[in-house]
Amino acid sequence: MPFTHVAQILTTDFGVVSEKLEQLQAEMPASTRWEDWKNAAIKQKLTTETVLQQALARYYELEYRDDFGVPQLPEGFADKVSIRHLKNFVFCPFAYADGIWQVAVENPARTDLLDDLCRTWGLRYQPVISHHQAIIDLINQVYDSTSAATEEAVENLDDQENFESILGVEEPEDLLEANDEEPIKRLVNSLLWQAAKDEASDVHIDPSPKSTVVRYRIDGVLHQVTTLPRQVHVTVVNRVKVMSRLDIAQKGLPQDGRTMVLIAGKKIDIRVSTIPTVHGEKIVMRLLYQSSKLMRLNELGLSEDILKPFRTMIQKSGGIVLVTGPTGSGKTTTLYSSLGEIDSQARNVITIEDPVEYKIPSYSQIEVNSRLGLTFARALRSVLRQDPDVVMVGEMRDAETAQIAIQAALTGHLVFSTVHTNSAPATITRLIDMGVEPFLVSSTIIGVLAQRLVRQICSSCKEPYEPHPEQLRELGLGASQVNATFYRGRGCPACRETGYRGRLGLHELLIMGDSIKDVILKSSDANEIKRAALRHGLITLRMDGIQKIRAGLTTLEEVLSITVEDQAIENLLPESPSIPA
């Protein structure tokens, strides 16, 4: 591989610093492979993989693509070629015409297997260069259509088969690549694969008198996907228990476990919870996608009026920043996005979680283990002897944890944590109810970010419509806002006919200014704190929701349902404040 020529293209066409490339080349031995040279350049942050592959394409005078649309391949292709071979050699055909394959490749010099296949079948091929993940995604898309459907797996179940034989079977390397002959294993693999494909956050397996219902939680809403025969319920439960290392003999008590699976090249940490019901054991599996890239703060949907002051808060050297909201509202994602804004090389970042949801190499992460006596409070007390700059506590569950966090903030540490409350002002009331003195709350809390998740309008079937006047009145929109254009999703296959696809956040940021501190010292009433905050520019969850409605991102129904506990602004102030455009 002539690295010199690629380096020259990187410098002349993409503006990469030539001196750094020359230094890298001098450090690498002459026998270095392209993959090793590329990985070294990416690791040293000289450039990105996409730019490197584009430069490689120009050197070979080949096309570069990272979007292949819907693959058009001969029928039966996936049955003849192993998915493992394609992933090992990182290539995949995506179009076929007149005896010529168009093939996505990562390295045009490494096509031994592809050459052999074409010679065997009497075909020719035209390489197209792409980056690694785009080719892996293409491979998964090609083999997705050949993966056994859940219904097919159910039909192949043999009621008389001794399913307990699954106990000694090893987990497949990748569930998409699994060709296991055991029906029950294929069934569970299929359920997990389909859940990952639909980007479900939870899988519910609910027993009933006549059948077992399987539901996925997608965008915060449960959808029934299939029903299983009643007689296989126990076997499905035992299969999930084996995967998550739970006691299959214990059926009368709740159990919690976890397992890690690989689905279509993506690592998924699955937290499993079982509970006995009158019809059998119910299972809920929470899917945590480890391979997904952590979102940055500006990707969370924070409005500029909230994002700018929040960024200022998280750069302070000491104090407490709290994120509040119900379970599943994205609090942990917001905390990690906030930590991502902090220089972890210059500052010692330690997290205490239950469990650790995102594994970050540059952080010291501690997982709470109540069975061993490692609670949030005990872990936090020990962490403060580790010379931390920033501490993230997964949740302030009790007075002891809150008191230690307060002491940490007073001694110059920046503390991030979550609290389960309905609004930002109510968080202050909650801390005082825990036993924290009001003067400590006012002197250590920097700010509180309340958030909810609302479903986003599907872009494939988005259309304007005229909302009911009663909805506008309930939302508090005046005559000046009624002229705005409102949108909803009509429903299409892309959004499962729901009209929604994906979610975004609504936010409410309480900044601890002097006027708020004065109110806290006099009263812990959440409404009093909210009145003071509104007078100083607080944007409530409902007001933020109205901004996102006007931007065509979500619907009135979503905002009304999520902010049902948000009091009408007119009830808090003599005159209603203007709603930001």
Side-chain angles (χ1 to χ4, degrees), residues 216-381:
Y216 296 160
R217 188 176 294 279
I218 302 171
D219 293 336
V221 178
L222 283 171
H223 299 268
Q224 181 174 327
V225 291
T226 190
T227 57
L228 308 177
R230 182 72 179 90
Q231 56 267 34
V232 303
H233 177 76
V234 172
T235 315
V236 170
V237 169
N238 286 346
R239 174 61 192 151
V240 174
K241 283 184 173 181
V242 168
M243 292 175 64
S244 50
R245 298 174 180 83
L246 298 179
D247 183 1
I248 65 170
Q250 178 55 265
K251 303 178 186 298
L253 291 174
Q255 295 187 67
D256 294 306
R258 65 191 304 176
T259 184
M260 178 75 78
V261 299
L262 192 66
I263 301 178
K266 297 179 181 178
K267 288 183 179 178
I268 301 180
D269 187 7
I270 302 179
R271 290 156 52 185
V272 179
S273 173
T274 72
I275 192 168
T277 71
V278 292
H279 299 301
E281 288 183 274
K282 172 184 169 68
I283 287 183
V284 175
M285 292 181 277
R286 168 66 57 87
L287 277 56
L288 302 172
Y289 299 87
Q290 299 295 312
S291 304
S292 58
K293 184 181 176 183
L294 281 175
M295 300 177 73
R296 301 188 64 83
L297 268 182
N298 57 1
E299 298 172 334
L300 297 181
L302 289 152
S303 66
E304 194 61 33
D305 294 329
I306 293 176
L307 178 60
K308 189 174 180 179
F310 187 69
R311 271 191 165 141
T312 302
M313 288 178 187
I314 63 178
Q315 294 299 333
K316 292 184 179 292
S317 58
I320 299 176
V321 176
L322 296 174
V323 180
T324 183
T327 301
S329 60
K331 298 187 296 297
T332 302
T333 300
T334 299
L335 286 178
Y336 269 103
S337 299
S338 302
L339 291 178
E341 302 271 317
I342 295 170
D343 184 0
S344 59
Q345 299 298 320
R347 303 174 80 177
N348 181 17
V349 179
I350 303 179
T351 75
I352 307 168
E353 303 168 75
D354 182 22
V356 174
E357 295 193 13
Y358 300 100
K359 294 178 176 64
I360 311 297
S362 56
Y363 300 161
S364 300
Q365 296 175 282
I366 302 168
E367 189 160 286
V368 169
N369 190 330
S370 55
R371 284 180 292 184
L372 298 178
L374 183 61
T375 61
F376 276 112
R378 185 171 181 179
L380 181 55
R381 195 177 285 111

Side-chain angles (χ1 to χ4, degrees), residues 161-203:
E161 187 171 350
N162 180 14
F163 294 123
E164 298 303 327
S165 63
I166 64 175
L167 296 181
V169 181
E170 292 294 323
E171 285 303 311
E173 185 176 331
D174 189 317
L175 296 191
L176 186 57
E177 302 171 24
N179 292 312
D180 202 279
E181 294 301 320
E182 297 179 67
I184 202 67
K185 190 171 182 180
R186 289 206 312 273
L187 169 61
V188 174
N189 287 357
S190 178
L191 291 174
L192 292 175
W193 158 243
Q194 189 63 43
K197 180 183 173 185
D198 292 342
E199 298 181 343
S201 61
D202 301 86
V203 176

Side-chain angles (χ1 to χ4, degrees), residues 133-163:
Q133 190 57 51
I135 299 174
I136 295 299
D137 290 343
L138 174 63
I139 295 171
N140 290 333
Q141 187 178 359
V142 168
Y143 283 79
D144 173 19
S145 59
T146 67
S147 184
T150 301
E151 290 75 10
E152 181 184 348
V154 173
E155 290 173 3
N156 291 334
L157 285 173
D158 183 355
D159 297 343
Q160 304 303 317
E161 187 171 350
N162 180 14
F163 294 123

Side-chain angles (χ1 to χ4, degrees), residues 423 425-426 428-429 510 515-536 538 567 571-573:
S423 67
I428 305 299
T429 305
L510 176 68
S515 59
I516 305 297
K517 292 181 181 180
D518 292 340
V519 173
I520 292 172
L521 293 174
K522 296 174 184 176
S523 170
S524 62
D525 181 65
N527 285 337
E528 288 290 337
I529 298 170
K530 191 163 190 174
R531 287 190 189 98
L534 281 166
R535 282 192 289 266
H536 289 81
L538 173 72
Q567 292 189 46
N571 296 339
L572 295 174
L573 288 176

